[in-house]
Amino acid sequence: MISTPIYSPGDRWFGRINTALLVVFALCALYPIVYVTSLSVSSGDAATSGRVWLWPVEWTLSAHAHVLQDKLFWTSYANTLFYTVVGTLTSLALIIPAAYALSKPRLMGRRWIGFFVAFTMWFNAGMIPFYLNLGDLDLLDSRWGIVIAFAVNAFNIILMRNFFESVSPSFEEAARMDGANDFQILWQVYIPLAKPAIATVAMLCAIARWNGYFWAMVMLRDENKIPLQVFLKKMIVDINLTEEAAGAMATQAYSLETITGAIIVLSMIPVVIVYPMIQKYFTKGVMMGGVKE
Amino acid sequence: MSGAIESPATFVKQPVRASKWGEVIETMRRDWMLYAMLAPALIWFLIFMYKPMYGLQIAFKHFSAFKGIEGSEWIGFAHFMTLFHSDQFLRAISNTLVISFYSLILAAPVPILLALMINEVHSKGFRKTVQTVLYLPHFISVVIVAGIVIAFLSPTTGLVNTALRALGLEQVYFLTRPEWFRGIYISSGIWKEAGFDSIIYLAAIMGINPALYESAQVDGATRWQMIWRITVPCILPTIAVLLVIRLGHILEVGYEYIVLLYQPSTYETADVISTYIYRLGLQGARYDLAAAAGIFNAVVALILVLTANKISRRITRTGVF
């Protein structure tokens, strides 16, 4: 970037208009979130009569209280935490050693193994055989099924491998002089060096786990195993699209709208809080992978 | 940039030339730890990626859950014939292409525009704030986005219909109207991803040699001229590569999101190949027919991606990068 130069009046106006437009865009990005949040803390009456458009009207926390009383909400929240933490750790445990091995030019058959991995990015059997396979393995309706079936993907291995390849071989040579083997070199030399890259891959895995709903919805029958996103889908999408349920639910204090808002807000809070801290890892992920895909 | 989609050839430069078996065994024994590290991940690929490929044979069989994948009898291309005589499948293909095409034209330029605009901001604090806010929707799950869309468009209480009523217009139940579906899908998609997608263009802009701007300034160029004569031409290869990649993925539509928003009354415009497979296979248990649709989709997608890959590699070779 150029150090702020001296601008002509025309250029200064250009800068102002640009800034103003960006502010408008940023507000557009925020507005739906603000709207839903306001909805969630407004009275059911204000929400159904359409009086909420920006700030809360007739402030109340009854919708939030209603959601927090729902046992299934807490169960699904705990399930999501489990899937996110255990799922991410499983992913790292599988991805990091594989990526390290693939980054070594001396690995015989590296070209073929690399193809074996990368091929799955271009061609996969698709939804149906994948599902039938999970059935064969008895992983449907199982927590461990969710954890293991989505633990690895080729893209993350390649991301990690690219990083390991960029590490100077002199680190390995030095460790080898001291008599270290590959396991020790990975654990004591490469993993400490790769912390930022590992954080990036971990974040990619974690956010995918936190936000994923589709396969959990397809695989899990038992309500006690569903993650938050599946609970959300049941509560927001399924109910809203059947109108009778909507009428039945409304009371003075809360309505379907405010409940929807409250569920959205309560499930979004962790992401919105953590996101500014982890944002840089995603930016890095995009750069490392060339294109996020 | 060149690593847009990895080619397996980049995994290693020199082919392994094992003239003697003894040498091979010797090397493998020396590196047994590397193979031990690879084993868990490779077994995972074998079980969860390659085994289902073997299961794809049900597309050519009359699948019965009782007889299993191998025991079911072969029926050749019968399922494919059924599909290509099915109006629903043909409609799904055309819907997929139409939705992809519209998002290519309407959604793809937005991140480029955002990147150009963000790049013109000199205040570090403002720049960082805008970026943080614009990237945020990317991290919100599709279920929540669908929930927000439903709340906005609710026929009686949603904001949009409240506004329509205030203007004296009739209220519309948007989510049940096929003519509105694509617009809703694409615009909420822009809201969710445009900010985050601008990162890659911003990175390309950062790579431009500052000397170009300095000399343009000496020559008295305006900022507008510098954008059009320097920034845009310099990121053109990036734009071209990403466009080609998108074309390669034209059959991939966000079905996880569509499944949340569509309903029978909007299938007409909303049902795409993957949602069709989902309904047919996972909801309707017509596994064999759905697998046939899946094979068709995967093979066409593979051809498109490989073609796109080839073209993008040509662009990066002749381009600035």
Side-chain angles (χ1 to χ4, degrees):
Chain A
M1 211 42 253
I2 13 168
S3 54
T4 325
I6 304 131
Y7 283 132
S8 69
D11 278 350
R12 273 201 295 273
W13 271 107
F14 175 88
R16 279 176 206 139
I17 293 169
N18 183 52
T19 305
L21 280 175
L22 276 174
V23 168
V24 171
F25 289 158
L27 291 178
C28 287
L30 280 181
Y31 177 65
I33 299 168
V34 173
Y35 170 69
V36 175
T37 311
S38 295
L39 209 54
S40 77
V41 291
S42 295
S43 75
D45 190 44
T48 26
S49 60
R51 277 182 286 145
V52 182
W53 67 275
L54 181 64
W55 302 120
V57 176
E58 296 166 11
W59 170 276
T60 165
L61 282 173
S62 57
H64 285 265
H66 181 79
V67 175
L68 292 176
Q69 274 164 19
D70 192 333
K71 210 175 138 266
L72 196 53
F73 174 78
W74 291 105
T75 310
S76 64
Y77 225 112
N79 286 334
T80 288
L81 279 176
F82 171 80
Y83 293 134
T84 304
V85 173
V86 178
T88 304
L89 291 176
T90 311
S91 298
L92 292 178
L94 288 164
I95 289 170
I96 294 172
Y100 171 80
L102 276 174
S103 75
K104 296 292 162 215
R106 67 192 151 84
L107 179 78
M108 193 183 292
R110 186 175 182 244
R111 184 194 175 90
W112 292 108
I113 300 168
F115 183 78
F116 181 80
V117 170
F119 182 71
T120 59
M121 291 204 298
W122 304 327
F123 185 86
N124 66 69
M127 219 183 269
I128 306 302
F130 186 79
Y131 175 83
L132 293 176
N133 181 40
L134 292 176
D136 282 349
L137 297 166
D138 212 11
L139 288 177
L140 294 174
D141 206 13
S142 137
R143 286 204 171 88
W144 293 106
I146 299 273
V147 167
I148 193 70
F150 306 94
V152 183
N153 69 55
F155 180 75
N156 285 342
I157 291 191
I158 289 166
L159 213 65
M160 205 60 232
R161 183 213 59 180
N162 287 352
F163 183 85
F164 283 142
E165 275 179 350
S166 71
V167 173
S168 156
S170 60
F171 284 103
E172 187 189 341
E173 282 155 24
R176 228 167 252 293
M177 296 281 220
D178 298 338
N181 63 34
D182 278 307
F183 285 114
Q184 290 163 329
I185 293 171
L186 171 61
W187 189 252
Q188 289 164 9
V189 181
Y190 274 71
I191 289 183
L193 280 172
K195 267 186 196 150
I198 292 173
T200 302
V201 171
M203 291 306 156
L204 288 173
C205 294
I207 203 87
R209 292 282 184 179
W210 187 274
N211 283 341
Y213 89 94
F214 185 80
W215 280 101
M217 169 187 83
V218 168
M219 288 165 68
L220 301 173
R221 294 278 154 271
D222 180 357
E223 260 194 347
N224 290 313
K225 294 173 188 159
I226 61 166
L228 185 61
Q229 300 298 332
V230 174
F231 172 78
L232 282 173
K233 186 200 172 259
K234 277 191 208 293
M235 295 303 288
I236 302 172
V237 181
D238 297 350
I239 289 184
N240 269 289
L241 294 178
T242 50
E243 283 173 89
E244 318 90 73
M249 220 170 143
T251 67
Q252 278 284 298
Y254 53 80
S255 67
L256 181 66
E257 289 76 21
T258 63
I259 297 278
T260 303
I263 297 175
I264 290 177
V265 169
L266 290 170
S267 68
M268 219 164 39
I269 285 173
V271 176
V272 173
I273 291 176
V274 174
Y275 156 71
M277 291 176 253
I278 60 172
Q279 184 197 342
K280 62 171 190 231
Y281 293 115
F282 288 96
T283 321
K284 210 177 284 163
V286 176
M287 312 288 184
M288 274 163 63
V291 180
K292 59 134 210 182
E293 204 77 347
Chain B
M1 268 316 302
S2 55
I5 285 185
E6 276 297 325
S7 113
T10 57
F11 268 94
V12 73
K13 263 64 192 179
Q14 72 279 38
V16 182
R17 216 176 285 275
S19 46
K20 288 175 210 149
W21 275 104
E23 208 174 297
V24 174
I25 292 166
E26 194 45 50
T27 328
M28 290 188 75
R29 185 174 296 163
R30 184 196 66 199
D31 290 332
W32 71 270
M33 284 185 184
L34 293 184
Y35 294 101
M37 290 175 180
L38 268 169
L42 295 187
I43 291 169
W44 185 92
F45 277 103
L46 215 51
I47 295 175
F48 290 102
M49 290 286 142
Y50 286 93
K51 191 165 161 262
M53 289 186 201
Y54 177 72
L56 267 180
Q57 56 180 284
I58 63 166
F60 306 95
K61 286 184 162 183
H62 184 77
F63 179 66
S64 114
F66 181 67
K67 290 180 188 160
I69 291 174
E70 282 173 354
S72 300
E73 66 219 78
W74 294 94
I75 53 161
F77 285 85
H79 291 313
F80 293 90
M81 300 306 284
T82 314
L83 283 174
F84 283 101
H85 286 101
S86 142
D87 290 340
Q88 281 193 29
F89 184 61
L90 298 176
R91 183 184 69 186
I93 295 178
S94 102
N95 278 341
T96 307
L97 295 175
V98 170
I99 288 182
S100 287
F101 180 72
Y102 280 146
S103 14
L104 205 63
I105 294 178
L106 298 170
V110 182
I112 304 173
L113 186 75
L114 285 177
L116 290 173
M117 291 176 70
I118 293 170
N119 184 53
E120 293 299 317
V121 173
H122 296 308
S123 147
K124 264 215 168 107
F126 178 66
R127 188 185 168 107
K128 197 150 192 305
T129 314
V130 165
Q131 280 175 296
T132 304
V133 171
L134 289 178
Y135 300 166
L136 175 65
H138 171 79
F139 297 91
I140 292 174
S141 77
V142 283
V143 184
I144 294 182
V145 175
I148 294 176
V149 168
I150 290 170
F152 261 93
L153 299 179
S154 153
T156 46
T157 60
L159 201 65
V160 177
N161 274 311
T162 311
L164 285 180
R165 268 199 306 278
L167 294 170
L169 296 167
E170 221 173 299
Q171 64 186 44
V172 184
Y173 194 173
F174 293 96
L175 287 169
T176 60
R177 304 288 281 278
E179 68 269 29
W180 284 101
F181 186 84
R182 288 168 187 151
I184 294 166
Y185 172 82
I186 290 168
S187 50
S188 52
I190 293 176
W191 177 76
K192 183 162 158 48
E193 299 299 343
F196 197 75
D197 286 348
S198 70
I199 293 178
I200 191 80
Y201 297 105
L202 263 176
I205 294 174
M206 292 304 169
I208 300 172
N209 184 356
L212 292 175
Y213 295 100
E214 280 153 24
S215 57
Q217 240 158 27
V218 175
D219 293 342
T222 64
R223 287 171 82 173
W224 187 252
Q225 285 170 325
M226 285 193 277
I227 291 175
W228 283 106
R229 304 270 169 81
I230 300 174
T231 316
V232 172
C234 282
I235 63 167
L236 219 47
T238 306
I239 295 174
V241 167
L242 289 172
L243 189 73
V244 168
I245 290 173
R246 271 188 96 127
L247 279 171
H249 289 266
I250 204 152
L251 287 184
E252 281 169 34
V253 191
Y255 68 93
E256 299 197 355
Y257 184 47
I258 292 183
V259 163
L260 295 169
L261 283 184
Y262 79 164
Q263 36 190 304
S265 61
T266 52
Y267 284 174
E268 193 185 323
T269 52
D271 195 21
V272 294
I273 301 174
S274 38
T275 54
Y276 175 74
I277 294 173
Y278 165 67
R279 256 197 346 277
L280 196 67
L282 298 185
Q283 294 188 314
R286 288 298 318 271
Y287 297 121
D288 42 10
L289 197 56
I295 287 198
F296 168 79
N297 195 36
V299 169
V300 178
L302 178 68
I303 296 169
L304 286 173
V305 169
L306 291 183
T307 315
N309 231 0
K310 202 162 238 167
I311 299 172
S312 77
R313 212 165 297 143
R314 196 160 299 161
I315 296 171
T316 41
R317 206 180 305 139
T318 53
V320 179
F321 292 90

Short mmCIF file of all heavy atoms in Angstrom, two decimals, chain A residues 162-188:
data_model
loop_
_atom_site.label_atom_id
_atom_site.label_comp_id
_atom_site.label_asym_id
_atom_site.label_seq_id
_atom_site.Cartn_x
_atom_site.Cartn_y
_atom_site.Cartn_z
N ASN A 162 1.48 -28.20 2.74
CA ASN A 162 2.14 -27.04 2.16
C ASN A 162 2.94 -26.29 3.21
O ASN A 162 4.04 -25.82 2.95
CB ASN A 162 1.10 -26.08 1.55
CG ASN A 162 0.53 -26.63 0.26
OD1 ASN A 162 1.01 -27.65 -0.25
ND2 ASN A 162 -0.49 -25.98 -0.25
N PHE A 163 2.38 -26.20 4.41
CA PHE A 163 3.12 -25.49 5.45
C PHE A 163 4.37 -26.26 5.83
O PHE A 163 5.46 -25.70 5.92
CB PHE A 163 2.25 -25.26 6.69
CG PHE A 163 2.99 -24.48 7.74
CD1 PHE A 163 3.02 -23.10 7.69
CD2 PHE A 163 3.71 -25.14 8.73
CE1 PHE A 163 3.73 -22.38 8.63
CE2 PHE A 163 4.43 -24.42 9.67
CZ PHE A 163 4.44 -23.04 9.62
N PHE A 164 4.23 -27.56 6.07
CA PHE A 164 5.40 -28.37 6.45
C PHE A 164 6.49 -28.30 5.38
O PHE A 164 7.67 -28.32 5.68
CB PHE A 164 4.99 -29.82 6.69
CG PHE A 164 4.28 -30.05 8.00
CD1 PHE A 164 3.22 -30.93 8.09
CD2 PHE A 164 4.69 -29.40 9.16
CE1 PHE A 164 2.57 -31.15 9.31
CE2 PHE A 164 4.05 -29.61 10.37
CZ PHE A 164 2.99 -30.48 10.44
N GLU A 165 6.06 -28.23 4.13
CA GLU A 165 7.06 -28.16 3.05
C GLU A 165 7.85 -26.86 3.10
O GLU A 165 9.00 -26.82 2.65
CB GLU A 165 6.37 -28.28 1.69
CG GLU A 165 6.15 -29.72 1.28
CD GLU A 165 5.44 -29.85 -0.06
OE1 GLU A 165 4.95 -28.82 -0.59
OE2 GLU A 165 5.38 -30.97 -0.57
N SER A 166 7.20 -25.81 3.63
CA SER A 166 7.89 -24.52 3.65
C SER A 166 8.89 -24.42 4.80
O SER A 166 9.64 -23.46 4.88
CB SER A 166 6.85 -23.39 3.74
OG SER A 166 6.28 -23.40 5.03
N VAL A 167 8.88 -25.40 5.71
CA VAL A 167 9.84 -25.38 6.81
C VAL A 167 11.22 -25.79 6.30
O VAL A 167 11.33 -26.76 5.55
CB VAL A 167 9.40 -26.36 7.93
CG1 VAL A 167 10.46 -26.47 9.01
CG2 VAL A 167 8.07 -25.91 8.53
N SER A 168 12.22 -25.03 6.67
CA SER A 168 13.56 -25.31 6.18
C SER A 168 14.04 -26.69 6.61
O SER A 168 13.90 -27.07 7.78
CB SER A 168 14.52 -24.23 6.69
OG SER A 168 15.83 -24.75 6.69
N PRO A 169 14.63 -27.47 5.69
CA PRO A 169 15.09 -28.83 6.04
C PRO A 169 16.19 -28.80 7.10
O PRO A 169 16.45 -29.84 7.73
CB PRO A 169 15.62 -29.40 4.73
CG PRO A 169 15.45 -28.35 3.69
CD PRO A 169 14.87 -27.12 4.29
N SER A 170 16.81 -27.65 7.31
CA SER A 170 17.90 -27.61 8.28
C SER A 170 17.43 -27.94 9.69
O SER A 170 18.18 -28.48 10.50
CB SER A 170 18.57 -26.24 8.26
OG SER A 170 17.63 -25.25 8.58
N PHE A 171 16.15 -27.64 9.98
CA PHE A 171 15.60 -28.00 11.30
C PHE A 171 15.64 -29.51 11.49
O PHE A 171 16.03 -30.02 12.52
CB PHE A 171 14.16 -27.51 11.43
CG PHE A 171 14.05 -26.04 11.68
CD1 PHE A 171 13.69 -25.18 10.65
CD2 PHE A 171 14.31 -25.51 12.94
CE1 PHE A 171 13.58 -23.82 10.88
CE2 PHE A 171 14.20 -24.15 13.17
CZ PHE A 171 13.85 -23.30 12.12
N GLU A 172 15.19 -30.20 10.42
CA GLU A 172 15.15 -31.65 10.51
C GLU A 172 16.57 -32.22 10.62
O GLU A 172 16.83 -33.10 11.44
CB GLU A 172 14.43 -32.24 9.30
CG GLU A 172 14.21 -33.74 9.46
CD GLU A 172 13.70 -34.41 8.20
OE1 GLU A 172 13.16 -33.70 7.32
OE2 GLU A 172 13.84 -35.63 8.10
N GLU A 173 17.47 -31.68 9.80
CA GLU A 173 18.85 -32.17 9.80
C GLU A 173 19.47 -32.04 11.19
O GLU A 173 20.11 -32.97 11.68
CB GLU A 173 19.68 -31.41 8.76
CG GLU A 173 19.42 -31.92 7.34
CD GLU A 173 19.73 -30.86 6.30
OE1 GLU A 173 20.52 -29.94 6.58
OE2 GLU A 173 19.15 -30.95 5.19
N ALA A 174 19.24 -30.87 11.80
CA ALA A 174 19.82 -30.63 13.13
C ALA A 174 19.29 -31.64 14.14
O ALA A 174 20.04 -32.20 14.93
CB ALA A 174 19.51 -29.21 13.58
N ALA A 175 17.96 -31.87 14.08
CA ALA A 175 17.36 -32.81 15.03
C ALA A 175 17.87 -34.22 14.79
O ALA A 175 18.08 -34.99 15.72
CB ALA A 175 15.83 -32.76 14.90
N ARG A 176 18.09 -34.54 13.52
CA ARG A 176 18.56 -35.88 13.18
C ARG A 176 20.00 -36.12 13.71
O ARG A 176 20.34 -37.22 14.14
CB ARG A 176 18.53 -36.08 11.67
CG ARG A 176 17.86 -37.38 11.29
CD ARG A 176 17.54 -37.46 9.84
NE ARG A 176 16.11 -37.34 9.62
CZ ARG A 176 15.21 -38.25 10.00
NH1 ARG A 176 15.59 -39.34 10.63
NH2 ARG A 176 13.94 -38.07 9.75
N MET A 177 20.80 -35.05 13.66
CA MET A 177 22.15 -35.12 14.22
C MET A 177 22.09 -35.53 15.69
O MET A 177 22.94 -36.26 16.19
CB MET A 177 22.83 -33.75 14.16
CG MET A 177 23.04 -33.27 12.75
SD MET A 177 24.46 -34.05 11.99
CE MET A 177 25.12 -32.66 11.11
N ASP A 178 21.06 -35.01 16.38
CA ASP A 178 20.91 -35.33 17.79
C ASP A 178 20.26 -36.70 18.00
O ASP A 178 19.91 -37.05 19.12
CB ASP A 178 20.05 -34.27 18.50
CG ASP A 178 20.71 -32.91 18.45
OD1 ASP A 178 21.95 -32.89 18.27
OD2 ASP A 178 20.02 -31.88 18.56
N GLY A 179 20.04 -37.43 16.91
CA GLY A 179 19.52 -38.79 17.03
C GLY A 179 18.02 -38.88 17.12
O GLY A 179 17.49 -39.93 17.53
N ALA A 180 17.29 -37.82 16.73
CA ALA A 180 15.83 -37.87 16.82
C ALA A 180 15.25 -38.67 15.64
O ALA A 180 15.80 -38.64 14.55
CB ALA A 180 15.26 -36.46 16.81
N ASN A 181 14.16 -39.38 15.91
CA ASN A 181 13.48 -40.08 14.80
C ASN A 181 12.31 -39.24 14.31
O ASN A 181 12.05 -38.15 14.83
CB ASN A 181 13.03 -41.48 15.23
CG ASN A 181 12.01 -41.43 16.37
OD1 ASN A 181 11.19 -40.51 16.43
ND2 ASN A 181 12.09 -42.40 17.25
N ASP A 182 11.58 -39.76 13.29
CA ASP A 182 10.53 -38.96 12.68
C ASP A 182 9.45 -38.54 13.66
O ASP A 182 8.96 -37.41 13.61
CB ASP A 182 9.91 -39.71 11.50
CG ASP A 182 10.73 -39.56 10.24
OD1 ASP A 182 11.03 -38.41 9.88
OD2 ASP A 182 11.10 -40.58 9.63
N PHE A 183 9.05 -39.46 14.55
CA PHE A 183 8.01 -39.11 15.52
C PHE A 183 8.48 -37.96 16.40
O PHE A 183 7.74 -37.01 16.66
CB PHE A 183 7.66 -40.32 16.39
CG PHE A 183 6.82 -41.33 15.69
CD1 PHE A 183 7.30 -42.60 15.40
CD2 PHE A 183 5.52 -41.01 15.30
CE1 PHE A 183 6.51 -43.53 14.73
CE2 PHE A 183 4.72 -41.94 14.64
CZ PHE A 183 5.23 -43.21 14.36
N GLN A 184 9.73 -38.06 16.85
CA GLN A 184 10.26 -37.00 17.72
C GLN A 184 10.41 -35.68 16.96
O GLN A 184 10.14 -34.61 17.50
CB GLN A 184 11.61 -37.44 18.30
CG GLN A 184 11.46 -38.56 19.31
CD GLN A 184 12.77 -39.27 19.58
OE1 GLN A 184 13.63 -39.37 18.70
NE2 GLN A 184 12.91 -39.81 20.79
N ILE A 185 10.84 -35.80 15.70
CA ILE A 185 11.01 -34.58 14.92
C ILE A 185 9.67 -33.88 14.72
O ILE A 185 9.55 -32.66 14.89
CB ILE A 185 11.67 -34.89 13.55
CG1 ILE A 185 13.11 -35.37 13.77
CG2 ILE A 185 11.66 -33.66 12.66
CD1 ILE A 185 13.77 -35.89 12.54
N LEU A 186 8.65 -34.67 14.39
CA LEU A 186 7.32 -34.08 14.20
C LEU A 186 6.85 -33.43 15.49
O LEU A 186 6.41 -32.28 15.50
CB LEU A 186 6.32 -35.16 13.76
CG LEU A 186 4.84 -34.73 13.73
CD1 LEU A 186 4.62 -33.58 12.75
CD2 LEU A 186 3.93 -35.88 13.36
N TRP A 187 6.96 -34.17 16.59
CA TRP A 187 6.40 -33.71 17.85
C TRP A 187 7.17 -32.53 18.44
O TRP A 187 6.60 -31.56 18.90
CB TRP A 187 6.36 -34.88 18.83
CG TRP A 187 5.61 -34.59 20.08
CD1 TRP A 187 6.15 -34.39 21.31
CD2 TRP A 187 4.19 -34.44 20.22
NE1 TRP A 187 5.15 -34.13 22.21
CE2 TRP A 187 3.94 -34.15 21.57
CE3 TRP A 187 3.12 -34.52 19.33
CZ2 TRP A 187 2.65 -33.93 22.06
CZ3 TRP A 187 1.84 -34.32 19.82
CH2 TRP A 187 1.61 -34.02 21.16
N GLN A 188 8.52 -32.63 18.39
CA GLN A 188 9.33 -31.63 19.10
C GLN A 188 9.79 -30.47 18.23
O GLN A 188 10.13 -29.40 18.74
CB GLN A 188 10.54 -32.31 19.74
CG GLN A 188 10.13 -33.18 20.91
CD GLN A 188 11.20 -34.15 21.33
OE1 GLN A 188 12.34 -34.08 20.85
NE2 GLN A 188 10.86 -35.09 22.19
#
